[in-house]
Amino acid sequence: ILTAIPSCTLMFKQEIPLLLPDNADAKAVQDAMWDPFEYLIARQKDGLLKTDFKAELGAVSYHIPCHSRVQNVGKKTEEMLKLVPGTKVNTVERCSGHAGTYGVKKLHHKTAMKIGKPVFRSMMQNAPDYISSDCQLSGHHIEQGIHDAGLDAGKAPKLAHPISLIAKAYGLDR
């Protein structure tokens, strides 16, 4: 079972089993749950992943979400993106400031944007064609922060989920 959002993967892999420790169904789901890039890199390591990419991605600034880090699966999304020829990956491993619903609440939004400033600057370091995060909430927060700070002067990178970028690399985005 794959989930494209790290908080969902975390919920099924760690949180539900803690809430239902004696539930066999919860354990079965936990054992079957994968982060999509954890799964793809596992298939690459066992020789089953096709790497006949059709398109380069150019410069990608990739943000590792907090909910990915706490799963301790490593930098699998970064590894996958780096398999695509003609792709330069700038990885940012720091809290974006969004923090679930915290960043969208009027009371906290300004603080969330302040917390994210180092991420916004780091994401723009390699003049990326794309900004990407496994967490779409963080991705949109970063996109807004880059725009609001004027860091995208003249060239706004496109926001794309890493799965969408891999689909593009395989030529499946048509």
Side-chain angles (χ1 to χ4, degrees):
I1 304 170
L2 308 177
T3 60
I5 306 297
S7 57
C8 295
T9 307
L10 179 68
M11 180 184 71
F12 286 105
K13 280 176 97 172
Q14 295 178 18
E15 294 172 3
I16 290 176
L18 287 174
L19 292 169
L20 305 168
D22 300 323
N23 186 299
D25 291 336
K27 178 67 175 145
V29 171
Q30 177 188 30
D31 292 343
M33 187 61 59
W34 291 75
D35 168 270
F37 293 98
E38 175 190 22
Y39 181 81
L40 290 171
I41 292 299
R43 298 300 62 86
Q44 190 259 342
K45 288 186 171 142
D46 59 21
L48 297 175
L49 181 72
K50 291 184 180 184
T51 56
D52 56 338
F53 298 106
K54 310 290 187 242
E56 299 177 353
L57 299 174
V60 177
S61 275
Y62 165 66
H63 168 258
I64 301 174
C66 299
H67 283 139
S68 290
R69 289 184 285 168
V70 299
Q71 293 179 57
N72 295 318
V73 297
K75 298 179 179 181
K76 302 302 189 245
T77 304
E78 175 189 58
E79 287 180 52
M80 186 69 191
L81 290 169
K82 286 183 174 180
L83 291 175
V84 180
T87 301
K88 182 180 178 190
V89 181
N90 168 40
T91 301
V92 178
E93 189 172 359
R94 184 177 177 148
C95 179
S96 71
H98 193 275
T101 60
Y102 180 85
V104 296
K105 293 180 180 173
K106 187 174 183 177
L107 177 67
H108 304 295
H109 183 71
K110 193 174 188 179
T111 302
M113 296 305 281
K114 185 185 248 185
I115 291 167
K117 278 186 181 181
V119 172
F120 310 153
R121 285 192 297 272
S122 295
M123 293 291 282
M124 290 303 291
Q125 282 183 354
N126 66 339
D129 299 299
Y130 296 97
I131 57 171
S132 188
S133 178
D134 299 281
C135 174
Q136 282 300 87
L137 293 174
S138 289
H140 287 288
H141 185 74
I142 292 165
E143 180 182 47
Q144 180 184 357
I146 288 169
H147 176 74
D148 290 356
L151 298 170
D152 58 355
K155 184 183 182 249
K158 295 176 188 152
L159 173 63
H161 190 282
I163 289 176
S164 296
L165 291 176
I166 294 302
K168 179 179 180 56
Y170 278 118
L172 301 173
D173 65 330
R174 296 164 208 237

PDB file of all heavy atoms in Angstrom, residues 94-126:
ATOM      1  N   ARG A  94      14.597  20.887   6.320  1.00  0.00           N
ATOM      2  CA  ARG A  94      14.289  21.813   7.412  1.00  0.00           C
ATOM      3  C   ARG A  94      12.793  22.070   7.415  1.00  0.00           C
ATOM      4  O   ARG A  94      12.162  22.031   6.368  1.00  0.00           O
ATOM      5  CB  ARG A  94      15.064  23.109   7.201  1.00  0.00           C
ATOM      6  CG  ARG A  94      14.918  24.104   8.305  1.00  0.00           C
ATOM      7  CD  ARG A  94      15.768  25.330   8.058  1.00  0.00           C
ATOM      8  NE  ARG A  94      15.525  26.278   9.134  1.00  0.00           N
ATOM      9  CZ  ARG A  94      16.415  27.103   9.602  1.00  0.00           C
ATOM     10  NH1 ARG A  94      17.625  27.120   9.084  1.00  0.00           N
ATOM     11  NH2 ARG A  94      16.119  27.919  10.575  1.00  0.00           N
ATOM     12  N   CYS A  95      12.231  22.386   8.561  1.00  0.00           N
ATOM     13  CA  CYS A  95      10.801  22.649   8.662  1.00  0.00           C
ATOM     14  C   CYS A  95      10.411  23.850   7.801  1.00  0.00           C
ATOM     15  O   CYS A  95      11.035  24.907   7.874  1.00  0.00           O
ATOM     16  CB  CYS A  95      10.425  22.905  10.123  1.00  0.00           C
ATOM     17  SG  CYS A  95       8.669  23.275  10.344  1.00  0.00           S
ATOM     18  N   SER A  96       9.371  23.676   7.015  1.00  0.00           N
ATOM     19  CA  SER A  96       8.889  24.757   6.143  1.00  0.00           C
ATOM     20  C   SER A  96       8.091  25.798   6.916  1.00  0.00           C
ATOM     21  O   SER A  96       7.792  26.866   6.398  1.00  0.00           O
ATOM     22  CB  SER A  96       8.010  24.186   5.031  1.00  0.00           C
ATOM     23  OG  SER A  96       6.771  23.730   5.568  1.00  0.00           O
ATOM     24  N   GLY A  97       7.707  25.464   8.138  1.00  0.00           N
ATOM     25  CA  GLY A  97       6.908  26.379   8.945  1.00  0.00           C
ATOM     26  C   GLY A  97       5.426  26.141   8.853  1.00  0.00           C
ATOM     27  O   GLY A  97       4.652  26.707   9.615  1.00  0.00           O
ATOM     28  N   HIS A  98       4.995  25.290   7.944  1.00  0.00           N
ATOM     29  CA  HIS A  98       3.564  25.098   7.749  1.00  0.00           C
ATOM     30  C   HIS A  98       2.904  24.409   8.930  1.00  0.00           C
ATOM     31  O   HIS A  98       1.872  24.857   9.417  1.00  0.00           O
ATOM     32  CB  HIS A  98       3.286  24.320   6.457  1.00  0.00           C
ATOM     33  CG  HIS A  98       1.855  24.379   6.066  1.00  0.00           C
ATOM     34  ND1 HIS A  98       0.918  23.516   6.564  1.00  0.00           N
ATOM     35  CD2 HIS A  98       1.198  25.232   5.258  1.00  0.00           C
ATOM     36  CE1 HIS A  98      -0.261  23.830   6.071  1.00  0.00           C
ATOM     37  NE2 HIS A  98      -0.126  24.861   5.276  1.00  0.00           N
ATOM     38  N   ALA A  99       3.479  23.308   9.367  1.00  0.00           N
ATOM     39  CA  ALA A  99       3.036  22.586  10.571  1.00  0.00           C
ATOM     40  C   ALA A  99       1.552  22.225  10.552  1.00  0.00           C
ATOM     41  O   ALA A  99       0.791  22.591  11.443  1.00  0.00           O
ATOM     42  CB  ALA A  99       3.382  23.372  11.832  1.00  0.00           C
ATOM     43  N   GLY A 100       1.143  21.482   9.551  1.00  0.00           N
ATOM     44  CA  GLY A 100      -0.252  21.049   9.479  1.00  0.00           C
ATOM     45  C   GLY A 100      -1.189  22.221   9.287  1.00  0.00           C
ATOM     46  O   GLY A 100      -1.003  23.032   8.387  1.00  0.00           O
ATOM     47  N   THR A 101      -2.171  22.351  10.157  1.00  0.00           N
ATOM     48  CA  THR A 101      -3.128  23.460  10.023  1.00  0.00           C
ATOM     49  C   THR A 101      -2.604  24.755  10.630  1.00  0.00           C
ATOM     50  O   THR A 101      -3.202  25.808  10.429  1.00  0.00           O
ATOM     51  CB  THR A 101      -4.475  23.103  10.691  1.00  0.00           C
ATOM     52  OG1 THR A 101      -4.258  22.846  12.078  1.00  0.00           O
ATOM     53  CG2 THR A 101      -5.115  21.903  10.011  1.00  0.00           C
ATOM     54  N   TYR A 102      -1.505  24.697  11.340  1.00  0.00           N
ATOM     55  CA  TYR A 102      -0.939  25.892  11.983  1.00  0.00           C
ATOM     56  C   TYR A 102      -0.726  27.026  10.974  1.00  0.00           C
ATOM     57  O   TYR A 102      -1.122  28.156  11.200  1.00  0.00           O
ATOM     58  CB  TYR A 102       0.395  25.525  12.656  1.00  0.00           C
ATOM     59  CG  TYR A 102       1.091  26.670  13.356  1.00  0.00           C
ATOM     60  CD1 TYR A 102       0.753  27.003  14.661  1.00  0.00           C
ATOM     61  CD2 TYR A 102       2.085  27.405  12.715  1.00  0.00           C
ATOM     62  CE1 TYR A 102       1.393  28.042  15.317  1.00  0.00           C
ATOM     63  CE2 TYR A 102       2.722  28.451  13.360  1.00  0.00           C
ATOM     64  CZ  TYR A 102       2.379  28.762  14.659  1.00  0.00           C
ATOM     65  OH  TYR A 102       3.005  29.799  15.297  1.00  0.00           O
ATOM     66  N   GLY A 103      -0.097  26.708   9.864  1.00  0.00           N
ATOM     67  CA  GLY A 103       0.276  27.719   8.879  1.00  0.00           C
ATOM     68  C   GLY A 103      -0.871  28.344   8.117  1.00  0.00           C
ATOM     69  O   GLY A 103      -0.703  29.396   7.500  1.00  0.00           O
ATOM     70  N   VAL A 104      -2.046  27.727   8.136  1.00  0.00           N
ATOM     71  CA  VAL A 104      -3.170  28.302   7.404  1.00  0.00           C
ATOM     72  C   VAL A 104      -4.109  29.104   8.306  1.00  0.00           C
ATOM     73  O   VAL A 104      -4.995  29.785   7.806  1.00  0.00           O
ATOM     74  CB  VAL A 104      -3.988  27.229   6.633  1.00  0.00           C
ATOM     75  CG1 VAL A 104      -3.138  26.590   5.556  1.00  0.00           C
ATOM     76  CG2 VAL A 104      -4.562  26.188   7.565  1.00  0.00           C
ATOM     77  N   LYS A 105      -3.900  29.034   9.602  1.00  0.00           N
ATOM     78  CA  LYS A 105      -4.737  29.799  10.527  1.00  0.00           C
ATOM     79  C   LYS A 105      -4.266  31.246  10.552  1.00  0.00           C
ATOM     80  O   LYS A 105      -3.066  31.525  10.651  1.00  0.00           O
ATOM     81  CB  LYS A 105      -4.683  29.192  11.926  1.00  0.00           C
ATOM     82  CG  LYS A 105      -5.332  27.828  11.990  1.00  0.00           C
ATOM     83  CD  LYS A 105      -5.268  27.253  13.384  1.00  0.00           C
ATOM     84  CE  LYS A 105      -5.935  25.880  13.413  1.00  0.00           C
ATOM     85  NZ  LYS A 105      -5.765  25.221  14.695  1.00  0.00           N
ATOM     86  N   LYS A 106      -5.214  32.156  10.448  1.00  0.00           N
ATOM     87  CA  LYS A 106      -4.892  33.579  10.401  1.00  0.00           C
ATOM     88  C   LYS A 106      -4.010  33.997  11.580  1.00  0.00           C
ATOM     89  O   LYS A 106      -3.052  34.751  11.415  1.00  0.00           O
ATOM     90  CB  LYS A 106      -6.189  34.399  10.386  1.00  0.00           C
ATOM     91  CG  LYS A 106      -5.978  35.872  10.174  1.00  0.00           C
ATOM     92  CD  LYS A 106      -7.296  36.603  10.033  1.00  0.00           C
ATOM     93  CE  LYS A 106      -7.037  38.064   9.742  1.00  0.00           C
ATOM     94  NZ  LYS A 106      -8.281  38.787   9.534  1.00  0.00           N
ATOM     95  N   LEU A 107      -4.300  33.462  12.738  1.00  0.00           N
ATOM     96  CA  LEU A 107      -3.554  33.804  13.947  1.00  0.00           C
ATOM     97  C   LEU A 107      -2.071  33.446  13.841  1.00  0.00           C
ATOM     98  O   LEU A 107      -1.219  34.147  14.374  1.00  0.00           O
ATOM     99  CB  LEU A 107      -4.188  33.084  15.151  1.00  0.00           C
ATOM    100  CG  LEU A 107      -3.512  33.246  16.503  1.00  0.00           C
ATOM    101  CD1 LEU A 107      -3.627  34.704  16.980  1.00  0.00           C
ATOM    102  CD2 LEU A 107      -4.157  32.316  17.525  1.00  0.00           C
ATOM    103  N   HIS A 108      -1.743  32.367  13.135  1.00  0.00           N
ATOM    104  CA  HIS A 108      -0.367  31.867  13.096  1.00  0.00           C
ATOM    105  C   HIS A 108       0.330  32.016  11.747  1.00  0.00           C
ATOM    106  O   HIS A 108       1.531  31.741  11.650  1.00  0.00           O
ATOM    107  CB  HIS A 108      -0.346  30.382  13.474  1.00  0.00           C
ATOM    108  CG  HIS A 108      -0.970  30.092  14.787  1.00  0.00           C
ATOM    109  ND1 HIS A 108      -0.474  30.541  15.976  1.00  0.00           N
ATOM    110  CD2 HIS A 108      -2.081  29.385  15.097  1.00  0.00           C
ATOM    111  CE1 HIS A 108      -1.225  30.132  16.973  1.00  0.00           C
ATOM    112  NE2 HIS A 108      -2.222  29.426  16.459  1.00  0.00           N
ATOM    113  N   HIS A 109      -0.393  32.426  10.727  1.00  0.00           N
ATOM    114  CA  HIS A 109       0.172  32.426   9.369  1.00  0.00           C
ATOM    115  C   HIS A 109       1.449  33.255   9.273  1.00  0.00           C
ATOM    116  O   HIS A 109       2.448  32.812   8.681  1.00  0.00           O
ATOM    117  CB  HIS A 109      -0.866  32.909   8.353  1.00  0.00           C
ATOM    118  CG  HIS A 109      -0.371  32.853   6.945  1.00  0.00           C
ATOM    119  ND1 HIS A 109      -0.172  31.667   6.277  1.00  0.00           N
ATOM    120  CD2 HIS A 109      -0.006  33.836   6.094  1.00  0.00           C
ATOM    121  CE1 HIS A 109       0.284  31.918   5.074  1.00  0.00           C
ATOM    122  NE2 HIS A 109       0.392  33.227   4.931  1.00  0.00           N
ATOM    123  N   LYS A 110       1.450  34.430   9.835  1.00  0.00           N
ATOM    124  CA  LYS A 110       2.627  35.306   9.760  1.00  0.00           C
ATOM    125  C   LYS A 110       3.848  34.632  10.408  1.00  0.00           C
ATOM    126  O   LYS A 110       4.953  34.679   9.863  1.00  0.00           O
ATOM    127  CB  LYS A 110       2.317  36.635  10.449  1.00  0.00           C
ATOM    128  CG  LYS A 110       3.308  37.732  10.194  1.00  0.00           C
ATOM    129  CD  LYS A 110       2.788  39.028  10.810  1.00  0.00           C
ATOM    130  CE  LYS A 110       3.660  40.198  10.404  1.00  0.00           C
ATOM    131  NZ  LYS A 110       3.149  41.451  10.968  1.00  0.00           N
ATOM    132  N   THR A 111       3.635  33.999  11.542  1.00  0.00           N
ATOM    133  CA  THR A 111       4.722  33.281  12.216  1.00  0.00           C
ATOM    134  C   THR A 111       5.192  32.097  11.375  1.00  0.00           C
ATOM    135  O   THR A 111       6.399  31.848  11.256  1.00  0.00           O
ATOM    136  CB  THR A 111       4.267  32.799  13.611  1.00  0.00           C
ATOM    137  OG1 THR A 111       3.843  33.927  14.370  1.00  0.00           O
ATOM    138  CG2 THR A 111       5.374  32.075  14.346  1.00  0.00           C
ATOM    139  N   ALA A 112       4.249  31.383  10.776  1.00  0.00           N
ATOM    140  CA  ALA A 112       4.604  30.240   9.926  1.00  0.00           C
ATOM    141  C   ALA A 112       5.461  30.692   8.746  1.00  0.00           C
ATOM    142  O   ALA A 112       6.422  30.007   8.371  1.00  0.00           O
ATOM    143  CB  ALA A 112       3.344  29.533   9.435  1.00  0.00           C
ATOM    144  N   MET A 113       5.137  31.830   8.175  1.00  0.00           N
ATOM    145  CA  MET A 113       5.919  32.350   7.057  1.00  0.00           C
ATOM    146  C   MET A 113       7.317  32.762   7.524  1.00  0.00           C
ATOM    147  O   MET A 113       8.308  32.547   6.816  1.00  0.00           O
ATOM    148  CB  MET A 113       5.196  33.528   6.391  1.00  0.00           C
ATOM    149  CG  MET A 113       3.864  33.148   5.739  1.00  0.00           C
ATOM    150  SD  MET A 113       3.982  31.800   4.544  1.00  0.00           S
ATOM    151  CE  MET A 113       4.604  32.677   3.136  1.00  0.00           C
ATOM    152  N   LYS A 114       7.412  33.310   8.710  1.00  0.00           N
ATOM    153  CA  LYS A 114       8.714  33.696   9.265  1.00  0.00           C
ATOM    154  C   LYS A 114       9.584  32.462   9.512  1.00  0.00           C
ATOM    155  O   LYS A 114      10.772  32.452   9.185  1.00  0.00           O
ATOM    156  CB  LYS A 114       8.516  34.467  10.576  1.00  0.00           C
ATOM    157  CG  LYS A 114       9.786  35.022  11.167  1.00  0.00           C
ATOM    158  CD  LYS A 114       9.491  35.666  12.521  1.00  0.00           C
ATOM    159  CE  LYS A 114       9.676  37.149  12.404  1.00  0.00           C
ATOM    160  NZ  LYS A 114       9.520  37.835  13.699  1.00  0.00           N
ATOM    161  N   ILE A 115       8.982  31.420  10.058  1.00  0.00           N
ATOM    162  CA  ILE A 115       9.706  30.163  10.307  1.00  0.00           C
ATOM    163  C   ILE A 115      10.228  29.576   9.002  1.00  0.00           C
ATOM    164  O   ILE A 115      11.332  29.032   8.946  1.00  0.00           O
ATOM    165  CB  ILE A 115       8.798  29.152  11.044  1.00  0.00           C
ATOM    166  CG1 ILE A 115       8.522  29.623  12.467  1.00  0.00           C
ATOM    167  CG2 ILE A 115       9.412  27.747  11.042  1.00  0.00           C
ATOM    168  CD1 ILE A 115       7.395  28.873  13.167  1.00  0.00           C
ATOM    169  N   GLY A 116       9.440  29.712   7.936  1.00  0.00           N
ATOM    170  CA  GLY A 116       9.811  29.128   6.651  1.00  0.00           C
ATOM    171  C   GLY A 116      10.831  29.901   5.841  1.00  0.00           C
ATOM    172  O   GLY A 116      11.369  29.370   4.858  1.00  0.00           O
ATOM    173  N   LYS A 117      11.146  31.146   6.223  1.00  0.00           N
ATOM    174  CA  LYS A 117      12.051  31.973   5.399  1.00  0.00           C
ATOM    175  C   LYS A 117      13.365  31.287   5.026  1.00  0.00           C
ATOM    176  O   LYS A 117      13.784  31.367   3.867  1.00  0.00           O
ATOM    177  CB  LYS A 117      12.320  33.312   6.082  1.00  0.00           C
ATOM    178  CG  LYS A 117      11.234  34.315   5.846  1.00  0.00           C
ATOM    179  CD  LYS A 117      11.589  35.680   6.416  1.00  0.00           C
ATOM    180  CE  LYS A 117      10.445  36.639   6.169  1.00  0.00           C
ATOM    181  NZ  LYS A 117      10.727  37.973   6.662  1.00  0.00           N
ATOM    182  N   PRO A 118      14.050  30.612   5.956  1.00  0.00           N
ATOM    183  CA  PRO A 118      15.293  29.941   5.540  1.00  0.00           C
ATOM    184  C   PRO A 118      15.057  28.870   4.471  1.00  0.00           C
ATOM    185  O   PRO A 118      15.886  28.680   3.579  1.00  0.00           O
ATOM    186  CB  PRO A 118      15.819  29.316   6.836  1.00  0.00           C
ATOM    187  CG  PRO A 118      15.184  30.102   7.936  1.00  0.00           C
ATOM    188  CD  PRO A 118      13.838  30.526   7.401  1.00  0.00           C
ATOM    189  N   VAL A 119      13.927  28.185   4.547  1.00  0.00           N
ATOM    190  CA  VAL A 119      13.593  27.176   3.542  1.00  0.00           C
ATOM    191  C   VAL A 119      13.326  27.858   2.203  1.00  0.00           C
ATOM    192  O   VAL A 119      13.818  27.410   1.165  1.00  0.00           O
ATOM    193  CB  VAL A 119      12.385  26.322   3.986  1.00  0.00           C
ATOM    194  CG1 VAL A 119      11.905  25.405   2.856  1.00  0.00           C
ATOM    195  CG2 VAL A 119      12.743  25.505   5.216  1.00  0.00           C
ATOM    196  N   PHE A 120      12.557  28.939   2.214  1.00  0.00           N
ATOM    197  CA  PHE A 120      12.226  29.640   0.971  1.00  0.00           C
ATOM    198  C   PHE A 120      13.511  30.072   0.250  1.00  0.00           C
ATOM    199  O   PHE A 120      13.651  29.883  -0.956  1.00  0.00           O
ATOM    200  CB  PHE A 120      11.349  30.868   1.232  1.00  0.00           C
ATOM    201  CG  PHE A 120      10.130  30.613   2.091  1.00  0.00           C
ATOM    202  CD1 PHE A 120       9.597  31.643   2.855  1.00  0.00           C
ATOM    203  CD2 PHE A 120       9.528  29.367   2.161  1.00  0.00           C
ATOM    204  CE1 PHE A 120       8.482  31.443   3.656  1.00  0.00           C
ATOM    205  CE2 PHE A 120       8.410  29.148   2.962  1.00  0.00           C
ATOM    206  CZ  PHE A 120       7.891  30.187   3.712  1.00  0.00           C
ATOM    207  N   ARG A 121      14.453  30.636   1.004  1.00  0.00           N
ATOM    208  CA  ARG A 121      15.726  31.073   0.405  1.00  0.00           C
ATOM    209  C   ARG A 121      16.522  29.871  -0.121  1.00  0.00           C
ATOM    210  O   ARG A 121      17.052  29.917  -1.227  1.00  0.00           O
ATOM    211  CB  ARG A 121      16.556  31.857   1.426  1.00  0.00           C
ATOM    212  CG  ARG A 121      16.053  33.270   1.678  1.00  0.00           C
ATOM    213  CD  ARG A 121      17.057  34.107   2.453  1.00  0.00           C
ATOM    214  NE  ARG A 121      17.327  33.576   3.785  1.00  0.00           N
ATOM    215  CZ  ARG A 121      16.631  33.878   4.884  1.00  0.00           C
ATOM    216  NH1 ARG A 121      15.626  34.729   4.807  1.00  0.00           N
ATOM    217  NH2 ARG A 121      16.943  33.362   6.039  1.00  0.00           N
ATOM    218  N   SER A 122      16.601  28.825   0.685  1.00  0.00           N
ATOM    219  CA  SER A 122      17.368  27.636   0.275  1.00  0.00           C
ATOM    220  C   SER A 122      16.782  26.976  -0.967  1.00  0.00           C
ATOM    221  O   SER A 122      17.524  26.466  -1.812  1.00  0.00           O
ATOM    222  CB  SER A 122      17.413  26.616   1.415  1.00  0.00           C
ATOM    223  OG  SER A 122      18.130  27.123   2.507  1.00  0.00           O
ATOM    224  N   MET A 123      15.472  26.977  -1.070  1.00  0.00           N
ATOM    225  CA  MET A 123      14.821  26.357  -2.227  1.00  0.00           C
ATOM    226  C   MET A 123      15.151  27.097  -3.523  1.00  0.00           C
ATOM    227  O   MET A 123      15.116  26.505  -4.600  1.00  0.00           O
ATOM    228  CB  MET A 123      13.306  26.302  -2.025  1.00  0.00           C
ATOM    229  CG  MET A 123      12.845  25.374  -0.918  1.00  0.00           C
ATOM    230  SD  MET A 123      13.080  23.614  -1.243  1.00  0.00           S
ATOM    231  CE  MET A 123      11.708  23.278  -2.330  1.00  0.00           C
ATOM    232  N   MET A 124      15.481  28.368  -3.439  1.00  0.00           N
ATOM    233  CA  MET A 124      15.751  29.157  -4.642  1.00  0.00           C
ATOM    234  C   MET A 124      17.234  29.220  -5.001  1.00  0.00           C
ATOM    235  O   MET A 124      17.604  29.828  -6.003  1.00  0.00           O
ATOM    236  CB  MET A 124      15.188  30.567  -4.467  1.00  0.00           C
ATOM    237  CG  MET A 124      13.674  30.625  -4.475  1.00  0.00           C
ATOM    238  SD  MET A 124      12.926  29.946  -5.980  1.00  0.00           S
ATOM    239  CE  MET A 124      13.412  31.181  -7.178  1.00  0.00           C
ATOM    240  N   GLN A 125      18.093  28.559  -4.225  1.00  0.00           N
ATOM    241  CA  GLN A 125      19.538  28.670  -4.431  1.00  0.00           C
ATOM    242  C   GLN A 125      20.019  28.237  -5.804  1.00  0.00           C
ATOM    243  O   GLN A 125      20.963  28.806  -6.326  1.00  0.00           O
ATOM    244  CB  GLN A 125      20.298  27.897  -3.348  1.00  0.00           C
ATOM    245  CG  GLN A 125      20.349  28.639  -2.050  1.00  0.00           C
ATOM    246  CD  GLN A 125      21.169  27.904  -1.003  1.00  0.00           C
ATOM    247  OE1 GLN A 125      21.608  26.773  -1.207  1.00  0.00           O
ATOM    248  NE2 GLN A 125      21.367  28.549   0.122  1.00  0.00           N
ATOM    249  N   ASN A 126      19.440  27.244  -6.399  1.00  0.00           N
ATOM    250  CA  ASN A 126      19.942  26.770  -7.694  1.00  0.00           C
ATOM    251  C   ASN A 126      19.060  27.212  -8.865  1.00  0.00           C
ATOM    252  O   ASN A 126      19.071  26.577  -9.907  1.00  0.00           O
ATOM    253  CB  ASN A 126      20.110  25.243  -7.681  1.00  0.00           C
ATOM    254  CG  ASN A 126      18.794  24.487  -7.549  1.00  0.00           C
ATOM    255  OD1 ASN A 126      17.795  25.045  -7.091  1.00  0.00           O
ATOM    256  ND2 ASN A 126      18.782  23.232  -7.946  1.00  0.00           N
TER     257      ASN A 126
END
